[in-house]
Amino acid sequence: MLSYGLLICGAYLSVVLDTALAPAWTIGSAAPDLLALTALIWTTVGGRPRAYLGAAALGLLADLNATGRLGVSMASFALVAYCLASAQPQLARLPVWLKAAALAPAIAAQALAIGLIRKILGEIDMGLATMALRCLAVGAYTAAISLPPLMVSEWVRKPRWS
């Protein structure tokens, strides 16, 4: 079981990398969402019954790190993590590369929910098709870079040597 110390370290590292390296690793208009990745790894790997609450806390951290109203990312992170937590027993049996592939639609849905809420609130002005394509790209890009953290979380969770 992953500890809360790892969640705090992962959240800190995600925020630092998101703010420091975002311009460097943006491809087109898509950049990986490392805080969303941290939240969903926490939800799927930990095996906790209320892991979505940790994901909601990371969503609040994402709200504090972004411009706009508070609560939008927190609600989106919590909702997607809650839905993903129900599939956690099935995800636990999958190999790492399939777990990464399963995170792509979850992260895309999370980004789309944030975008739609911000559009409804009048904070962004973007067409729905453009928003959907950008969210799909963010989901795919984030899932592609999720393999190393997923591998590390598997190694921490299941020691190979006894």
Side-chain angles (χ1 to χ4, degrees), residues 44-101:
T44 58
V45 174
R48 288 173 198 75
R50 291 181 195 83
Y52 61 90
L53 295 175
L58 290 176
L60 179 61
L61 185 59
D63 279 331
L64 293 171
N65 197 31
T67 59
R69 295 187 175 109
L70 288 178
V72 175
S73 295
M74 185 176 78
S76 174
F77 277 44
L79 180 64
V80 171
Y82 184 77
C83 293
L84 200 60
S86 65
Q88 197 276 334
Q90 292 82 12
L91 287 172
R93 292 185 292 235
L94 294 177
V96 174
W97 65 274
L98 276 177
K99 284 181 188 176

Side-chain angles (χ1 to χ4, degrees), residues 155 158-162:
W155 292 334
K158 294 188 226 176
R160 301 288 182 207
W161 304 281
S162 353

